[in-house]
Amino acid sequence: MDSTGDAGKEDDDESSSSLNGVVPERKGSSSSETIQSALDEFRVRWQQELKKDGTPSGSPLREKTRPTGNAGLDRDKGNLSIEQQARSLFLQGSELEHSGKVFEAMRLYRKAVQLVPDIEFKIYDITKQQDQNSGTMDLEIEKLSNGLLQADLEDDENLENVDLVLRFQSLLSKSGKLFESASAADKMLIVTSAHFSDLPMEVILYILRWVVSSELDLKSMERFARVCRGFYLLARDSEIWKRACVRIWGVNVGHLKGSPFVTWREMYINRPRVHFHGCYISRTSYLRYGENSFQDQFYRPVQLVEYYRYFRFFADGKVLMLTSADEPQACVGKLKNRYALQAETLHGHYRLHNDEVIIAVQRNRSNMQSQRPGRKKEITGEYGQQTFYLELNIVSSAKRAFSQLHWKQYSMVQVRNDQERTTVFELAPNKYPPLYFSRVKSYHQESEGPLK
């Protein structure tokens, strides 16, 4: 009995001395000494890792923290599943890591991974699902807080039969503002710079007149209207559309009262007119037969003739006409400026009459030829001055309004040696096909002046 008690006492003494870093002298076989040596080395490394944490092994903080956490975990182990225990350990480790206690956090992470190897991915999936549920709840709360405004926007009525101007006016009258900054980030910029909504209404409308410009770029104003409800209402300003109609039809614009149109914008859209943001182009091709060969009377050469006609209209009543064998890619750039200097370009004017456009363009061959060096005046003055008069019908297609010009009448008046000669051309369909409108983006890249 005494020997057994002494043996137990001896083991306790050895454990306490090993913890203090002192390896007692032992007797026994070589295998037991090897095991004891490895155990002692492990204890020494463990104490060194504890010292790296910065808190002494015997400090009150370490002794207080360790038993409390272990007691809490031991108490909850019986009531929690393995995955819940691993989740709790991982979350506690995350809190310790955020507070700067990395070593203690690593111990909890290791315990959690030992229980459930993929606990980190499972916690991520749970957190993501909670965020989605929270976002859905926030949307529901926002819809409820918006009240009547959201109910109006989500109404299932047919918007094609609704006047959007009156609809947007009623919606914006509740907020009291035509438009405002869209996000909090934009509101922060107001400290250093002004928002567009801070400008007076007169300045905003003047800017919009520059957007339309003197060339009547109404397509840009329609894109301006797509930004928000406030811009939509500004783009429907009656004064701007009235100025556009007056610039096109001049004194023949008439009045809204007694006309089939309700607004100036409706008149501009539905009344026959020509487009200014591109060219009307037609391609003509036909076969021309040559003379029989003197060697072979049965051989007669045939030549395919192909050329293009171009018309470019300007809002101030000017028009350019060009006939050339070059492709449209090479010719539309020549018609960008109303004061084109090419000799083959004819300058003139046009006016609108109901669904017709009447054009008068002129070519002065004597002046044109006399400017070329090495030419004789008696040869250059042979053709005299030529004026072409054209009448074309404005026709709409299924895809675009007023996109075609059909020939109605074409004549030429030639003045030579004080004598006038008139030639009326026969409008054969193969030589005078309809002209089709093609948009050219470069024509309205710049604004030369505001709409007046």
Side-chain angles (χ1 to χ4, degrees):
M1 296 292 292
D2 295 338
S3 61
T4 306
D6 294 338
K9 183 177 181 180
E10 184 179 357
D11 294 338
D12 295 338
D13 294 339
E14 289 176 357
S15 300
S16 61
S17 62
S18 299
L19 288 173
N20 294 327
V22 179
V23 181
E25 183 178 357
R26 302 179 62 89
K27 296 180 181 181
S29 62
S30 59
S31 61
S32 62
E33 289 178 358
T34 303
I35 296 173
Q36 184 63 33
S37 175
L39 180 61
D40 293 338
E41 291 178 0
F42 171 77
R43 288 172 176 169
V44 172
R45 289 197 304 269
W46 178 57
Q47 288 183 356
Q48 289 177 354
E49 290 179 359
L50 290 177
K51 291 179 181 180
K52 289 181 181 179
D53 187 40
T55 306
S57 60
S59 65
L61 179 60
R62 181 176 295 280
E63 296 297 332
K64 182 178 179 181
T65 304
R66 188 183 304 166
T68 304
N70 293 337
L73 291 176
D74 294 339
R75 184 172 56 250
D76 296 338
K77 280 183 180 179
N79 300 327
L80 299 177
S81 63
I82 295 178
E83 183 177 346
Q84 291 175 341
Q85 293 178 22
R87 189 189 312 164
S88 177
L89 289 171
F90 192 91
L91 294 177
Q92 290 180 18
S94 178
E95 294 178 359
L96 291 175
E97 184 180 358
H98 285 299
S99 62
K101 300 178 181 180
V102 181
F103 179 77
E104 296 182 2
M106 291 299 297
R107 289 194 302 107
L108 296 178
Y109 286 154
R110 289 171 184 169
K111 291 182 179 180
V113 173
Q114 288 175 358
L115 294 175
V116 180
D118 58 342
I119 185 62
E120 182 178 0
F121 298 99
K122 291 185 177 182
I123 292 178
Y124 173 76
D125 294 337
I126 294 174
T127 306
K128 184 177 180 180
Q129 184 65 29
Q130 290 177 353
D131 293 340
Q132 291 179 353
N133 295 336
S134 177
T136 304
M137 184 62 67
D138 292 339
L139 289 176
E140 295 296 333
I141 295 174
E142 183 179 358
K143 289 181 180 180
L144 292 175
S145 62
N146 288 336
L148 182 60
L149 180 59
Q150 287 291 337
D152 290 340
L153 292 177
E154 295 177 0
D155 195 4
D156 294 333
E157 63 178 334
N158 186 7
L159 296 180
E160 294 181 357
N161 299 325
V162 175
D163 189 350
L164 292 180
V165 175
L166 297 178
R167 182 183 179 85
F168 289 162
Q169 285 177 349
S170 62
L171 292 176
L172 295 174
S173 62
K174 300 177 183 179
S175 61
K177 295 182 179 180
L178 195 59
F179 46 81
E180 57 185 352
S181 57
S183 62
D186 295 337
K187 295 180 181 178
M188 295 297 293
L189 295 176
I190 299 177
V191 179
T192 57
S193 61
H195 189 260
F196 193 77
S197 59
D198 296 331
L199 297 176
M201 189 58 60
E202 294 80 4
V203 176
I204 295 176
L205 291 176
Y206 186 73
I207 294 175
L208 189 55
R209 285 167 54 190
W210 268 96
V211 173
V212 177
S213 77
S214 58
E215 299 300 328
L216 294 185
D217 186 10
L218 275 305
K219 191 176 184 63
S220 296
M221 191 172 74
E222 291 298 323
R223 288 197 294 264
F224 171 86
R226 298 175 185 176
V227 176
C228 64
R229 299 189 190 101
F231 283 12
Y232 183 89
L233 295 178
L234 288 175
R236 298 304 189 271
D237 183 71
S238 178
E239 184 62 24
I240 293 178
W241 290 99
K242 180 179 179 180
R243 291 172 183 263
C245 292
V246 172
R247 186 164 179 80
I248 291 179
W249 291 284
V251 295
N252 297 324
V253 66
H255 301 278
L256 285 179
K257 187 177 181 180
S259 68
F261 310 109
V262 179
T263 62
W264 292 107
R265 181 174 181 271
E266 184 181 350
M267 176 186 290
Y268 182 90
I269 293 175
N270 297 324
R271 189 171 176 178
R273 54 183 173 81
V274 291
H275 296 293
F276 307 116
H277 56 287
C279 292
Y280 288 88
I281 306 173
S282 69
R283 184 179 67 177
T284 303
S285 60
Y286 61 94
L287 299 177
R288 185 173 64 184
Y289 295 93
E291 296 182 356
N292 295 337
S293 174
F294 68 93
Q295 295 179 351
D296 187 359
Q297 296 295 328
F298 298 98
Y299 174 74
R300 188 176 185 183
V302 179
Q303 183 180 8
L304 176 64
V305 179
E306 183 175 278
Y307 62 92
Y308 296 85
R309 284 192 181 92
Y310 303 89
F311 284 95
R312 167 77 197 280
F313 297 93
F314 296 88
D316 58 354
K318 291 184 173 59
V319 62
L320 298 179
M321 178 180 173
L322 175 63
T323 302
S324 174
D326 297 334
E327 296 287 336
Q329 292 82 356
C331 291
V332 293
K334 301 178 182 179
L335 304 176
K336 184 176 181 180
N337 190 346
R338 58 168 50 84
Y339 305 106
L341 301 179
Q342 294 83 5
E344 64 271 17
T345 304
L346 281 67
H347 299 73
H349 295 80
Y350 75 93
R351 65 182 179 90
L352 300 174
H353 179 68
N354 296 331
D355 60 345
E356 297 179 1
V357 54
I358 302 173
I359 303 172
V361 292
Q362 189 177 72
R363 174 191 290 138
N364 194 332
R365 285 186 175 271
S366 60
N367 295 336
M368 179 188 70
Q369 299 286 355
S370 62
Q371 294 175 359
R372 298 182 181 180
R375 294 280 187 175
K376 296 181 180 181
K377 289 185 178 180
E378 55 270 14
I379 297 177
T380 58
E382 179 181 358
Y383 298 99
Q385 181 179 356
Q386 296 177 339
T387 304
F388 299 88
Y389 297 96
L390 306 91
E391 294 184 13
L392 300 103
N393 287 326
I394 303 174
V395 181
S396 300
S397 64
K399 295 183 178 180
R400 178 181 293 176
F402 321 129
S403 60
Q404 299 180 19
L405 296 179
H406 292 191
W407 293 87
K408 183 178 180 181
Q409 186 176 352
Y410 186 21
S411 61
M412 180 189 68
V413 177
Q414 184 177 9
V415 178
R416 185 180 59 178
N417 299 329
D418 297 333
Q419 294 182 358
E420 182 176 308
R421 179 184 176 185
T422 302
T423 303
V424 179
F425 299 97
E426 183 181 356
L427 301 178
N430 60 336
K431 291 186 178 182
Y432 297 94
L435 296 99
Y436 296 91
F437 179 78
S438 178
R439 182 191 173 196
V440 182
K441 295 182 180 179
S442 61
Y443 284 175
H444 283 167
Q445 287 182 344
E446 299 178 358
S447 296
E448 298 180 357
L451 176 62
K452 296 181 180 180

